[in-house]
Amino acid sequence: AGPGAGTGGGAIETLPFVHQELGVLQLVPLAGLLGFILSLVRLSEQPTHGRGALTGLAFAATYLLCGYYGIFAVAVVVPAALWYLWPALRDRARRGPLLKALALAAALAAALLVPVVGGQLYAARSFDLERSTSSVERQSARVGHYFRTPWSQGVPLPGIERAPDPGHRAFFPGTVKGLLAVGVLGLFALRTHRRRPGEPSAATARRHIAFFGTLVVLAGWLSLGPHAGALSPYTIVHAMVPGFASLRSLFRLAALVQIGIVGLAALGLHEIDRSLGRTTANRRLGVAVAAVLALFLYGGEIMHGFSVALMVGILIGTYSSIYIATPVTFMLGITREDMLPPKKEGATEAQP
């Protein structure tokens, strides 16, 4: 919880890929995919039958909401989730419960999806719906697409160009999210040894970074399709994941790339929040500055003057509170007792 989680959720709501694909309704709902990721994390922490059932339900919901996302979950999310599941599989005490919970998840998902998937596989075999290599190549991403943005960036970045038309493939997630995602590695390296009691351990933080990093790399690599080269995972996934051979638009894996970058950016914000300290004043100041910067960068011309006025007010207010009001208070000899309300005459102490 905190600014990192809240800002990460807001970034998911404004995911560029989803807003580009609003005309394709099945690509819009990300709730099933995000719920499946969360359920795998929770299952690795405490493998129970209840959490196993939730994992199966989340995967079924992912596939029923969007078949593409369901197949992408098997091809990309599950391998990346091994960063979470592997420590539990190595632990003898948790290995048995985890395997049982995973079996329950698979059985429940299969029971819910067999009627749908069975019909789809029958249609694919009957009408030869397997995509040709040439058609998949045409609908695959290119490396340059990830350095192209569908709209102007509030913070321009060298090497990032704007697509000539919003409908063109442009998968750059945004300057701020990209910089935070890269910066999280340095922030984590500097702050690992200072984790406070009650916060996730350094090993847990490493697993979060490894999961989202694997999500970005694997989804991005796979989105390039057959023309990614001899070392591309496309051939392996094409042969091993049911239904993958019938997919044509592999560029849609860019959604998982952007989700992974948002996850890394949220971790970066969390580390920044930790570096500011845990006091309420620091938290409020950090949230206020983040909100004003968001208005300044993304609010457009209408909000520009208002956001500038807010930033000037925050700077003047912070300066005057620290460097003017505080010294004056000490010079006048004002104490905490002087600020308390005076007791009324005749008032008696409350009896227990």
Side-chain angles (χ1 to χ4, degrees), residues 4 15-16 19 43 46-47 58 69 81 86 92 100 121 132 173 210 213 217 224 229 232 271 277 295 323 339-340 349:
L15 206 66
H19 283 262
L43 184 63
Q46 186 177 356
Y69 288 158
W86 184 247
R92 290 185 178 181
K100 292 178 182 178
L121 292 177
S132 65
V217 173
L224 302 179
S232 171
E271 291 298 321
L295 285 175
Y323 296 105
M339 305 302 293
L340 296 175
E349 295 290 337

Side-chain angles (χ1 to χ4, degrees), residues 134-156:
S134 59
S135 66
V136 173
E137 286 183 348
R138 287 194 299 270
Q139 296 297 322
S140 297
R142 303 292 188 272
V143 174
H145 294 164
Y146 289 99
F147 296 91
R148 194 162 64 181
T149 176
W151 44 71
S152 299
Q153 295 293 298
V155 182

Side-chain angles (χ1 to χ4, degrees), residues 171-223:
F171 304 139
F172 184 67
T175 303
V176 176
K177 292 190 284 288
L179 292 177
L180 284 172
V182 174
V184 66
L185 301 176
L187 287 169
F188 174 76
L190 292 173
R191 299 282 297 179
T192 297
H193 62 286
R194 298 183 183 180
R195 309 197 80 82
R196 296 178 175 87
E199 291 186 340
S201 65
T204 300
R206 279 196 296 269
R207 285 195 290 270
H208 290 327
I209 294 175
F211 169 77
F212 286 117
T214 303
L215 202 67
V216 171
V217 173
L218 186 55
W221 197 2
L222 195 56
S223 71

Side-chain angles (χ1 to χ4, degrees), residues 336-347 349:
R336 178 179 178 275
E337 287 71 20
D338 296 327
M339 305 302 293
L340 296 175
K343 294 183 179 180
K344 294 182 179 180
E345 293 184 4
E349 295 290 337

Side-chain angles (χ1 to χ4, degrees), residues 1 7 36 44 55 70 78 130 205 212-213 219 229 234 243 247 260 269 276 319:
T7 307
F36 180 58
S44 67
T55 302
V78 172
E130 183 173 347
F212 286 117
Y234 172 80
L247 300 183
L269 283 175
L276 291 175
Y319 177 85

Side-chain angles (χ1 to χ4, degrees), residues 72-97:
F72 290 165
V74 176
V76 178
V77 175
V78 172
L82 288 176
W83 289 105
Y84 295 120
L85 299 175
W86 184 247
L89 291 173
R90 294 179 61 187
D91 186 355
R92 290 185 178 181
R94 291 192 295 166
R95 184 188 306 160

